[in-house]
Amino acid sequence: SELWLASVGMGVVRARIAGTPDNPLIVDAQRYIINDGELGSNYFFTIYAENEANLLFGNKGYGVFRFNKTTNGLEPVSTHKYENMTLNNILAISKDSSNNYLFGTSYGLIKYTSETSYQLFNAKNTVHAILKNSPDNFWLSTNLGLINFDTKRNVFRSYGFSDGLKVVEFSDGAAFRDPDTGTLFFGGINGFVA
């Protein structure tokens, strides 16, 4: 089996694992980098596995990359670079039922179909994590609370202190959906909410 790791400064690592569940062994590891391994270019914060053949990686400053099995390397999902560089800081990735990718950035949210078909939503703060509640209903954790986003209607609803949240500043990638109960968990600087 394989384990993919996104790292801060070292790029993306694919580790092949053997052994037993009680005694796993890494038998091979391969590192994938951009910009000739330049440290500042290889800050990867998130992995989105659509399936075994389609893996996306979010990079801080350089956007989204896809693993290409044919070339055995990373390639940019889009050659488009946004004028606002914080849009290239990708901290979270998901996908809705209409095949739109959702990219959580340091600026807000990008709803992306292709390089020529995308929408920018300024959440006025960083989107740290995205969890799917249903095929077109997502929860975004931010610096100012949680946002519920309906991707079919492009409707946002924000939740913060005034709505009873005890945690409103969330952390990068600190989110989990319990596969048995469907409960969503988001971690922040002073605890977590479910």
Side-chain angles (χ1 to χ4, degrees):
S1 60
E2 291 182 338
L3 175 66
W4 287 87
L5 306 165
S7 75
V8 176
M10 298 300 291
V12 173
V13 177
R14 177 174 59 179
R16 296 191 196 284
I17 300 174
T20 65
D22 292 335
N23 189 24
L25 301 170
I26 295 177
V27 293
D28 180 48
Q30 185 168 1
R31 187 172 151 223
Y32 300 93
I33 55 172
I34 62 170
N35 295 344
D36 295 321
E38 193 266 320
L39 185 68
S41 302
N42 285 280
Y43 279 52
F44 286 89
F45 279 87
T46 189
I47 300 172
Y48 178 74
E50 197 168 334
N51 54 50
E52 285 187 29
N54 195 14
L55 298 170
L56 299 178
F57 303 92
N59 180 284
K60 185 174 184 183
Y62 292 88
V64 178
F65 289 80
R66 180 184 319 276
F67 179 70
N68 183 324
K69 280 189 169 187
T70 304
T71 64
N72 194 36
L74 299 178
E75 61 185 28
V77 166
S78 169
T79 57
H80 179 77
K81 290 294 179 193
Y82 300 103
E83 288 181 26
N84 181 333
M85 285 306 292
T86 59
L87 284 169
N88 292 313
N89 292 339
I90 308 296
L91 302 170
I93 302 172
S94 195
K95 192 174 187 180
D96 70 12
S97 69
S98 299
N99 290 321
N100 297 300
Y101 287 106
L102 304 176
F103 300 145
T105 76
S106 296
Y107 181 77
L109 184 72
I110 302 170
K111 185 176 175 184
Y112 181 94
T113 304
S114 70
E115 185 172 346
T116 58
S117 177
Y118 61 89
Q119 292 175 283
L120 306 176
F121 299 101
N122 180 358
K124 296 185 179 151
N125 57 59
T126 299
V127 175
H128 294 286
I130 302 172
L131 289 180
K132 184 183 290 191
N133 193 43
S134 66
D136 296 303
N137 185 277
F138 295 81
W139 286 90
L140 319 173
S141 63
T142 74
N143 286 351
L144 299 173
L146 294 174
I147 298 173
N148 182 243
F149 178 43
D150 177 333
T151 62
K152 283 282 190 211
R153 299 181 303 140
N154 287 339
V155 174
F156 293 85
R157 166 74 167 96
S158 298
Y159 297 86
F161 276 127
S162 62
D163 300 294
L165 281 182
K166 302 296 183 208
V167 178
V168 294
E169 186 173 345
F170 293 92
S171 301
D172 294 345
F176 175 73
R177 183 180 191 276
D178 184 311
D180 297 325
T181 66
T183 303
L184 306 179
F185 296 89
F186 293 96
I189 63 167
N190 61 332
F192 72 93
V193 297

